[in-house]
Amino acid sequence: VERFFESTVKMKNAHSPAAFRAIVSFLALSTVLMLLTQTTPVFDYDLATRLGFQKGADQITDFGVHVIRAFCLSDTVVFIPLTVLALIGLLMKKRWALFPTAAAAGISIYWVIAYGVMVHNLNGMPGYQAVLAAPDWVIMGAYIGFGLWNLLYLMFRGDRLVG
């Protein structure tokens, strides 16, 4: 069964457009990054802080930790399953894959904007010392840009991904 699935995926994707490869790569990378940076803090926030995935309470206060954990839990139970479904469906060239792909693109845009505004607005609050560094803004900009491009591609050429 596994060999059949692999050969089917290889045959169906043999002539895939560059957009297919870009979207699948972005979804796969996002899934891995989210599992590390968002799921880890759901189960062990201190470990995520030590690994540099999240800021500690000394930088963002206990309240900030709870807010970040809420984002992490949401990503774990909503965003990650959507990206996995999208990946499976796209690799199998199923039309239904366009829906979780679009949802993941929309969430990619939304969470970056919400998080960026939150960090910006909380700066200067008592006990809050976290700031976004240049690499953070680059990653966030990439998520917004790719999310927008992904949505536009899905709207106007989505059938090419599964056709």
Side-chain angles (χ1 to χ4, degrees), residues 32-101:
V32 171
L33 286 174
M34 290 294 164
L35 283 168
L36 289 171
T37 64
Q38 302 301 92
T39 302
T40 301
V42 169
F43 298 103
D44 191 342
Y45 196 89
D46 291 333
L47 174 62
T49 301
R50 286 193 307 274
L51 294 172
F53 296 149
Q54 299 295 336
K55 306 284 188 210
D58 59 323
Q59 292 179 295
I60 61 172
T61 74
D62 288 334
F63 176 78
V65 168
H66 291 294
V67 171
I68 295 301
R69 288 186 87 172
F71 275 107
C72 293
L73 181 62
S74 297
D75 285 337
T76 299
V77 299
V78 178
F79 185 75
I80 293 170
L82 283 171
T83 60
V84 170
L85 277 173
L87 281 167
I88 291 168
L90 288 172
L91 290 172
M92 295 175 66
K93 297 291 190 174
K94 299 294 184 183
R95 183 156 176 66
W96 57 259
L98 300 177
F99 298 105
T101 303

Side-chain angles (χ1 to χ4, degrees), residues 52 55 59 115-116 119-120 123 128-141:
K55 306 284 188 210
Q59 292 179 295
Y115 180 73
V119 170
H120 176 74
N123 239 348
Y128 193 89
Q129 302 165 348
V131 294
L132 294 173
D136 297 322
W137 288 110
V138 169
I139 292 169
M140 291 167 62

